[in-house]
Amino acid sequence: MSTNSKTTKTNNSIVRTRFAPSPTGYLHIGGLRTACYAYLFAKKHGGKFILRIEDTDLERKVAGAEEVIYNTLKQAGLHYDEGPDVGGEYGPYIQSERKASYGQYAQQLVKNGGAYPCFCSVERLEKMREGGATKYDKHCLKLSKDEVAKRLANGEPHVIRQNIPQTGTTEYADLVFGTITIDNDELEDGVLIKSDGMPTYNFANVIDDYLMGINYVMRGTEYLSSTPKYNHIYDGLGLEKPQYIHMQPIMRDSKHKLSKRDGDASFDDFVKSGYLPDAILNYIILLGWSPKSNDEKFTLKQAEEMFTVEGLSKSPSIFDLEKLKWLNAQYIKELSEEEFYKLATPFLNSLEHIKDLDKKYLCTLLQSRCSIIRDVVELCDFIKAFDNFDLNLFISEKWKTDITVAKAMLPPLLKELTAKVDMEELSNLSEIIEGFAIANGYKKGQVLLVFRLALTGSLVTPGGAHEMAKLLGTEVMLSRLATVIQRL
RNA sequence: GGCCCCUUGGUCAAGUGGUUAAGACACCGCCCUUUCACGGCGGUAUCAGGGGUUCGAACCCCCUAGGGGUCACCA
């Protein structure tokens, strides 16, 4: 249990949270959820949600990735109060543009003994590790002041390392995990400033969070055990430490995180295949967090009211596509006919075989049968793939029908329809079928089932017999019936 | 491997010493629409294992097992 739920106070200052992704590609579902929680926590407390781009690793930077992040966040409705493209008092919001500020803090830390220059070559470090060392041996900390000054003056390449005590323990209170205690001996003198002058994440992160007034740091659990290192930096500089909220990842299965590399879809991919942004958000918020109430379907706005740190899960959660689909279907049902039509149109337009049909009408049938918008494509399959359907579909235990029944029923039914049906409107279809059933000793349901199957060649169709007949039109209806009769 | 964290049905999960251990997805059954689907109702199924503590443990303690994270001039 969280030992610190009471410390979710705001220190009389406004809550400020941030989402700090690296521009290494698109924003995946896991990252988006982290952003969600940081957003919700800020909004719940009337605070600010900030976007910061962490691009100190020039190697991994991907062109255009920032825009993807901005767009995804906007599309998801996670509006940040400050960020690279919206500005704010604490800018710039891109780390590579903040280079100037890190050096001075590093120098101050060196002065205070919290860090030191290190001239060790990459080769020496490698050799050390090959020799079994698990962390840096503080070799350069032992250099004399004079020597350091001299080598610095000579412009020797060097990094700045953090100086961490080798004994004792460091502990802090995480708002979801409670007290975390780490032996200082486990902590390495990590690099703060790289030899190219750029800060590492470890350092930039701390300095930026401080400079930007971030008082609640919300991030993945991969930082749970390195947080003491960051606290040593705050302490070394005499800065007030933030509260920490670490969150477990979304898993693809019990052993693997959801990740791009393994082909797990991005937010954008989900949207493209017809998941509604609101439904995706709703689902991922619910995955790893639960409200006090039993509500499972809610808007972002409602989630802002309901959000509590206590509801965050301490264990990873497995992504369940089935449940997302179910939720998405709920959202689709709530769409107006026009909205659904608009969303379905791009998919429908790609289908040659339905180009002569009344798409508006089709959509009214389709809307309650889609889990995702893309489902409309498959639901329309019966319209073209008709000729060779499996005749065994006529076998129904419930309605006591089979191929023989169909063979007996269909020819007279076709005759009846050809003779009597209202060719324009199909207005009397129901009467005809009912009359036919009575006259021939069938139940109406039997006739309806066989008729619908003969008409569509499909067990599941986007509507009942009447709707399907109306959709396809009288001519197609009659010709399909004739075709099936021939096959029987 | 060292260290940190986690462990309630197939999945998401509620639960904070006394509950018939919620709810949702999925699954199964029934009903509705005299046809599928949608919808409605109901059902199957969970406290990782073992020791304690206690009158009483899913809840507290210990051990074991399993899983995740972390040990970079990546973030």
Side-chain angles (χ1 to χ4, degrees):
Chain A
M1 268 311 99
S2 164
T3 56
N4 302 82
S5 43
K6 308 121 242 151
T7 59
T8 310
K9 42 128 195 189
T10 57
N11 274 340
N12 292 328
S13 57
I14 191 167
V15 167
R16 290 174 62 84
T17 65
R18 47 69 168 171
F19 177 53
S22 310
T24 56
Y26 67 83
L27 193 50
H28 67 92
I29 292 290
L32 185 63
R33 190 187 60 162
T34 302
C36 268
Y37 291 151
Y39 171 88
L40 291 173
F41 182 78
K43 294 301 151 188
K44 168 66 181 269
H45 294 96
K48 302 281 188 203
F49 173 61
I50 291 106
L51 173 67
R52 181 174 73 224
I53 300 293
E54 309 225 326
D55 61 344
T56 54
D57 183 6
L58 335 104
E59 311 251 318
R60 297 210 310 175
K61 201 166 171 171
V62 173
E66 285 102 331
E67 278 66 35
V68 174
I69 292 168
Y70 307 152
N71 292 338
T72 305
L73 255 20
K74 275 167 196 151
Q75 194 175 185
L78 300 177
H79 299 292
Y80 34 96
D81 300 291
E82 300 166 27
D85 58 332
V86 302
E89 298 171 50
Y90 298 80
Y93 293 89
I94 295 184
Q95 258 175 354
S96 58
E97 293 171 15
R98 302 172 60 84
K99 197 173 162 184
S101 40
Y102 308 116
Q104 72 188 81
Y105 284 96
Q107 287 317 314
Q108 196 187 329
L109 208 49
V110 169
K111 222 171 278 171
N112 298 346
Y116 57 94
C118 168
F119 304 91
C120 290
S121 65
V122 179
E123 292 73 37
R124 178 172 125 75
L125 297 175
E126 270 170 16
K127 201 169 271 173
M128 225 176 60
R129 288 192 197 101
E130 277 164 21
T134 55
K135 47 177 214 175
Y136 183 63
D137 60 2
K138 288 183 182 275
H139 177 261
C140 291
L141 182 59
K142 296 164 196 135
L143 263 31
S144 74
K145 248 186 165 171
D146 289 347
E147 185 176 356
V148 171
K150 194 159 58 171
R151 294 174 74 167
L152 249 25
N154 280 346
E156 263 192 58
H158 66 283
V159 301
I160 304 291
R161 274 187 193 275
Q162 188 176 4
N163 182 21
I164 292 180
Q166 296 169 90
T167 58
T169 62
T170 303
E171 63 173 53
Y172 72 100
D174 180 90
L175 263 35
V176 353
F177 290 98
T179 304
I180 306 292
T181 308
I182 308 275
D183 286 341
N184 289 333
D185 187 44
E186 291 292 327
L187 272 18
E188 181 174 30
D189 284 2
V191 171
L192 265 22
I193 304 285
K194 301 182 238 184
S195 54
D196 65 359
M198 284 294 255
T200 59
Y201 163 85
N202 294 320
F203 192 58
N205 197 256
V206 168
I207 300 305
D208 286 339
D209 281 342
Y210 164 69
L211 256 19
M212 293 183 176
I214 305 301
N215 44 14
Y216 287 83
V217 169
M218 300 177 73
R219 47 152 79 128
T221 49
E222 61 266 36
Y223 303 109
L224 198 61
S225 47
S226 51
T227 294
K229 288 207 287 200
Y230 309 142
N231 280 348
H232 278 120
I233 299 177
Y234 284 103
D235 288 342
L237 256 17
L239 308 176
E240 189 183 348
K241 293 186 282 285
Q243 300 277 355
Y244 293 101
I245 298 172
H246 286 99
M247 297 163 291
Q248 292 283 20
I250 299 179
M251 311 291 283
R252 189 187 67 213
D253 55 51
S254 65
K255 296 192 180 164
H256 307 275
K257 255 197 196 187
L258 213 56
S259 73
K260 158 79 175 186
R261 209 174 341 109
D262 302 312
D264 298 314
S266 67
F267 178 77
D268 199 46
D269 290 336
F270 277 113
V271 173
K272 281 198 183 110
S273 47
Y275 289 87
L276 306 181
D278 289 350
I280 302 171
L281 261 280
N282 190 158
Y283 176 68
I284 62 177
I285 288 170
L286 203 55
L287 191 63
W289 174 79
S290 65
K292 289 218 160 62
S293 67
N294 251 341
D295 299 330
E296 292 209 294
K297 185 167 174 297
F298 41 74
T299 62
L300 227 210
K301 196 84 199 153
Q302 291 169 318
E304 289 173 25
E305 295 298 313
M306 302 191 287
F307 190 79
T308 57
V309 174
E310 291 75 41
L312 285 170
S313 176
K314 292 166 113 172
S315 44
S317 11
I318 298 172
F319 188 84
D320 181 8
L321 191 63
E322 290 307 316
K323 185 144 186 180
L324 203 210
K325 280 186 180 169
W326 169 80
L327 235 198
N328 200 59
Q330 306 305 306
Y331 276 83
I332 287 179
K333 287 191 188 81
E334 286 180 3
L335 256 25
S336 68
E337 283 185 17
E338 295 72 43
E339 285 170 322
F340 180 79
Y341 178 72
K342 212 173 136 194
L343 290 169
T345 295
F347 293 101
L348 260 18
N349 281 346
S350 70
L351 269 27
E352 183 64 19
H353 55 284
I354 64 162
K355 71 177 197 307
D356 295 330
L357 303 183
D358 179 348
K359 296 201 185 82
K360 271 240 155 76
Y361 178 61
L362 179 59
C363 279
T364 63
L365 301 177
L366 256 17
Q367 185 167 359
S368 69
R369 292 158 214 266
C370 292
S371 288
I372 62 178
I373 307 285
R374 173 170 282 170
D375 285 347
V376 299
V377 172
E378 205 175 315
L379 285 166
C380 288
D381 271 354
F382 77 94
I383 296 170
K384 75 167 166 202
F386 176 72
D387 291 352
N388 289 311
F389 72 89
D390 183 2
L391 294 173
N392 288 321
L393 286 182
F394 283 115
I395 302 171
S396 160
E397 227 173 280
K398 180 179 172 187
W399 292 99
K400 304 215 167 18
T401 59
D402 54 27
I403 297 175
T404 317
V405 171
K407 198 172 174 177
M409 181 196 295
L410 258 11
L413 179 60
L414 175 58
K415 211 167 158 191
E416 186 96 350
L417 287 170
T418 309
K420 298 187 185 164
V421 79
D422 165 9
M423 296 299 276
E424 290 302 309
E425 306 270 324
L426 281 170
S427 58
N428 57 353
L429 185 63
S430 185
E431 292 163 43
I432 296 174
I433 287 182
E434 188 157 7
F436 176 83
I438 293 168
N440 295 278
Y442 295 115
K443 285 182 183 148
K444 191 177 179 187
Q446 285 179 305
V447 181
L448 247 11
L449 177 64
V450 171
F451 173 65
R452 186 173 59 85
L453 289 170
L455 191 60
T456 61
S458 179
L459 192 58
V460 178
T461 54
H466 300 105
E467 282 115 4
M468 291 302 92
K470 184 177 167 196
L471 178 73
L472 293 169
T474 322
E475 275 177 44
V476 176
M477 173 182 86
L478 296 177
S479 79
R480 283 190 167 199
L481 252 36
T483 306
V484 174
I485 289 167
Q486 291 225 319
R487 286 187 62 201
L488 290 163

